[in-house]
Amino acid sequence: MSDSESRFSLVAGEGDGAILGLAAGDSAGGAWELGYSAITEQATVISYQLIESPDLDTDQLLRAIRELDGADDEEPVYRAESPHFRTWLTRAAAGGVVPEEEPSLDAAPRGVPVGVALRRDPVALRDAVVEVGRAFHSDLSSIVSGLVSASAVAASCFGQSGRDLIAGVVETVELTATQVGSTLKYAGTATWDELIADLRLLMDYVGVTEASDALAIVDAEAVPEPWDLTRVGLLLAAPPAERAHIPIEQAARVGGSPLGAVVGGIIGARVGIRAWPWAFANDTWFAEIGRRLVRGPNEVSDLPIPYAVEQHLISGERGFR
């Protein structure tokens, strides 16, 4: 670790605020009117796997994600899941995991815990994001959205921002294209080169703070495509913000809970564990998850079971606080 990284770790926690920030952004987006949604629920399951081991077992992870949908003859506890995720769960329950072919923003929030846990191992980060992404998506832009968020979170763990952060994201996607581009089978019309060019363009617009300006820069349609929103989120999250919640609000305004969660995760990784303006349940749980992703201990046996936490929340009982 360099001296600058060491100093940053002491000040801001080296990314330990990412999961709390993700939950805050999810809540700000309003997918579930009483707080965070299935976006954060999935992130906690992924985080638990990564706390125990940085070597993700995809089959085990998918089973754990399905458990919250009542896979073991229990009631489902997912809230306000996206249409893409609900389709995936339905197919999985019917006996087969079938990746979604349509573009989706769902992969981006899933990349947040990967970015924290594997922030010091860029090769493992790229491998894990692609592997998890392919389990849910066959559309290339969706998989790359996960790479964008994971690499941006990893950079933010060490205080990177602005042009440096976006340049790091571009490099990560370029290296991934070199590593798997010729072997990865995918749906959609976008190519690796086109997506990389889209990201590189953002380096000329660092400092944008208004979501409307960011949408114009990426030339988004009246209803932005998921890839447009991925780039909007990266632009909004890149500049250092004196009031860290403002970029999250901007992201949630145009991209709802998925984009709010991504920008919240990137900024949370940079600013550390802190209070956010939006009230939501289980905030101390999310803070502890973030701490363990960064500093351990590498066990979850003493943490609440995610299914039980969400079941209590839905039933109106008090969540873990």
Side-chain angles (χ1 to χ4, degrees):
M1 183 191 304
S2 69
D3 290 343
S4 61
E5 288 177 356
S6 178
R7 286 195 296 272
F8 180 78
S9 300
L10 292 173
V11 173
E14 200 178 323
D16 62 4
I19 305 303
L20 182 60
L22 178 146
D26 181 2
S27 300
W32 189 53
E33 60 184 8
L34 299 180
Y36 64 90
S37 73
I39 294 165
T40 301
E41 293 178 276
Q42 293 174 75
T44 61
V45 173
I46 297 169
S47 296
Y48 268 46
Q49 299 284 318
L50 287 165
I51 288 169
E52 291 190 299
S53 172
D55 299 321
L56 273 178
D57 182 326
T58 305
D59 291 338
Q60 181 180 344
L61 174 62
L62 298 184
R63 284 195 299 271
I65 285 176
R66 287 189 57 213
E67 284 176 5
L68 271 67
D69 198 43
D72 293 329
D73 297 324
E74 297 177 308
E75 291 296 317
V77 295
Y78 281 122
R79 299 181 298 279
E81 58 270 39
S82 72
H84 288 121
F85 184 45
R86 172 43 55 195
T87 297
W88 185 90
L89 288 169
T90 301
R91 290 171 174 171
V97 173
V98 180
E100 175 61 47
E101 294 184 357
E102 294 297 317
S104 170
L105 195 58
D106 288 1
R110 295 187 192 113
V112 171
V114 178
V116 179
L118 301 179
R119 65 199 179 281
R120 296 178 176 276
D121 191 341
V123 175
L125 182 150
R126 297 194 300 268
D127 289 343
V129 172
V130 171
E131 185 173 354
V132 173
R134 292 177 66 181
F136 291 93
H137 308 281
S138 58
D139 171 70
L140 181 61
S141 68
S142 303
I143 296 171
V144 174
S145 290
L147 278 169
V148 168
S149 64
S151 56
V153 166
S156 288
C157 289
F158 299 111
Q160 286 190 3
S161 61
R163 188 179 177 90
D164 287 344
L165 184 143
I166 295 178
V169 169
V170 172
E171 181 181 18
T172 295
V173 178
E174 287 178 329
L175 290 170
T176 308
T178 300
Q179 179 180 339
V180 303
S182 61
T183 59
L184 180 63
K185 304 300 181 183
Y186 54 86
T189 59
T191 67
W192 284 101
D193 288 344
E194 290 170 341
L195 297 175
I196 291 168
D198 286 345
L199 293 170
R200 192 180 297 281
L201 175 69
L202 303 183
M203 296 174 66
D204 295 330
Y205 297 96
V206 172
V208 170
T209 58
E210 295 288 332
S212 57
D213 293 338
L215 286 169
I217 288 167
V218 304
D219 197 23
E221 301 290 339
V223 178
E225 294 292 327
W227 178 242
D228 296 333
L229 292 174
T230 296
R231 292 180 288 152
V232 165
L234 184 58
L235 274 175
L236 293 174
E242 186 173 335
R243 295 190 295 167
H245 66 281
I246 298 299
I248 301 175
E249 289 180 335
Q250 288 287 318
R253 187 174 302 163
V254 298
S257 286
L259 196 62
V262 171
V263 174
I266 297 170
I267 292 178
R270 187 184 305 141
V271 302
I273 294 171
R274 54 170 295 156
W276 295 99
W278 314 284
F280 53 94
N282 303 320
D283 51 354
T284 57
W285 182 42
F286 298 131
E288 181 59 25
I289 290 171
R291 289 189 191 99
R292 294 200 185 194
L293 281 171
V294 173
R295 292 186 290 278
N298 300 118
E299 59 179 287
V300 297
S301 59
D302 59 330
L303 291 178
I305 298 170
Y307 181 91
V309 173
E310 306 307 341
Q311 185 182 47
H312 291 167
L313 187 58
I314 285 179
S315 65
E317 297 178 28
R318 186 179 182 185
F320 173 73
R321 296 186 68 82

